[in-house]
Amino acid sequence: QVHLVESGGALVQPGGSLRLSCAASGFTFSNYGMSWYRQAPGKERELVAGITNARGITNYADSVKGRFTISKDNAKNTVYLQMNSLKPEDTAVYYCNAGFKSPIWGDWGQGTQVTVSS
């Protein structure tokens, strides 16, 4: 049974930083790429960042490129999203999933809320 548990979200001021974590279980973590998504109220869920399983090739949405960094630790079955220079438009619930550019698992985690506001 696949489980995805996101954590690390918080209320931060514009320009601040957060590090999100996603603990994964129920599949062979090292065999899958992983990605982060976000969904703001009234908007569709969008792909934020992805990392491949084999070589660690990364991909970012234009809106976060240069500010966010995705990484993974196979020993901990965990994928991270380092978020710097946060903007109010980054406010959303953030989710992780397996897959590089599209989600593999149908069951999403609870997500973690990121709010950027002064």
Side-chain angles (χ1 to χ4, degrees):
Q1 187 175 357
V2 172
H3 284 91
L4 301 165
V5 182
E6 300 92 344
S7 62
L11 171 64
V12 297
Q13 295 183 343
S17 297
L18 285 173
R19 189 193 191 204
L20 307 184
S21 298
C22 170
S25 62
F27 61 98
T28 304
F29 182 83
S30 62
N31 289 161
Y32 291 82
M34 296 293 294
S35 296
W36 284 95
Y37 297 78
R38 68 186 182 188
Q39 186 170 29
K43 295 186 177 181
E44 296 182 345
R45 183 166 51 212
E46 64 173 343
L47 178 65
V48 175
I51 185 167
T52 64
N53 66 302
R55 307 304 177 202
I57 305 300
T58 57
N59 177 66
Y60 300 95
D62 288 342
S63 59
V64 308
K65 193 170 297 182
R67 300 187 298 120
F68 292 8
T69 303
I70 186 172
S71 62
K72 61 184 178 73
D73 186 337
N74 288 340
K76 296 181 178 180
N77 285 6
T78 301
V79 61
Y80 305 95
L81 187 67
Q82 179 66 47
M83 310 165 67
N84 299 327
S85 302
L86 284 162
K87 304 175 180 179
E89 49 263 47
D90 295 319
T91 296
V93 178
Y94 284 71
Y95 302 89
C96 66
N97 211 310
F100 181 47
K101 291 185 175 181
S102 59
I104 289 178
W105 310 123
D107 291 333
W108 297 80
Q110 82 284 357
T112 186
Q113 176 72 51
V114 172
T115 302
V116 185
S117 176
S118 59

